[in-house]
Amino acid sequence: MSRSVLALLDVRPAYTAMLAKKYDLHRWDQTDDKQALLDQVGAKITALVTSAGFGVPDGLMDQLPNLEVITSFGVGYDVFDLEACRARGIRVSNTPDVLTDDVADTAIMLMHATLRRLVVGDDWARSGQWAAKGAMPLTRSVRGKKLGIIGLGRIGQAIASRAEPSGVEVGYFGRRRKQVEYRYFDDLVALARWSDILIVACPGGDATKGIVNADVLSALGQDGYVVNIARGSVMDEPALIGALRDNVIAGAGLDVFYNEPNMDRALANFDNVVLYPHGASGTVETRDAMAQLVVDNLDAWDQRGDLVTPVF
Ligand code: 8YV
């Protein structure tokens, strides 16, 4: 008898098809009467497939008494109740490393797009303002700036190594000093004061909730830019909106939002903000690699009671 797996979403069609071939796969996302599905198969489900964005709906785990493992599509795990998982002996896996390059590239893309006002420039050309009014207003150079990275983990380090050739000096804030030559700050306000550009690259969760607050933004200052590719929860979003409105900072590049996909519409009113709809890992190549890792984790659990990339 093959293992019964509940998929809350389609990781990628070809990979979900692979799962359906190997396992007794049940598709929560394709079932209208979800309660009837759970009544029918809940007790035999031992593995759950979900994502870092979707998580696990409230009360669902209670209806899966024999759940052994959650294999998540995504690197972040702030969305899971890890304590509840640990208490029940449920293991969790994620998809680190395979998305690092694309997420770091997105941070760099947003940094350049924000300072060089890519969206304004695109509109300038597209709408005919170029012909009507002449050149667009001057922008700001990345070269020569001080870049502060919040969280020098795998993604933070990939951002730093990409940023250096653009001629920036790198500093960072994190829980611990790392064995790197970048300047370390043990205080976030001090990093923001030093930085011209602040890139948020730390994990979400309680420890980092709202740490990019009004004090940090005013320390960044009126010529400063903030880029967030981490989690919307790390940003005190009302403080960010206030800082943009009152010209406390110069601009922002945002891939993540406090409330996704229903982002605060106030952010769409600023032309010094570049928006991206939580798409940093959203390339065919990376999403395929993430989906493969979900399959690999599930197979490892099924065959050896082990995980390839465990959270724990
Ligand atoms: C994905 C992410 O967009 O990996 C993460 O933690 O936030 C993103 O890569 C997400 O997992 C897809 O839902």
Side-chain angles (χ1 to χ4, degrees), residues 51-54 73-77 95 99 103 230-231 278 281 287 290:
S51 75
F54 194 78
F73 180 74
V75 66
Y77 43 83
T95 60
L99 46 64
V103 176
R231 281 291 180 265
H278 198 152
S281 71
R287 289 287 167 85
M290 290 162 65

Side-chain angles (χ1 to χ4, degrees), residues 217-228:
L217 295 168
S218 73
L220 183 60
Q222 59 183 6
D223 292 326
Y225 296 85
V226 66
V227 169
N228 188 5

Side-chain angles (χ1 to χ4, degrees), residues 11-12 15-16 73 95 286-296:
V11 286
R12 293 275 297 146
Y15 296 84
T16 299
F73 180 74
T95 60
T286 288
R287 289 287 167 85
D288 279 352
M290 290 162 65
Q292 180 66 61
L293 207 38
V294 167
V295 174
D296 292 347

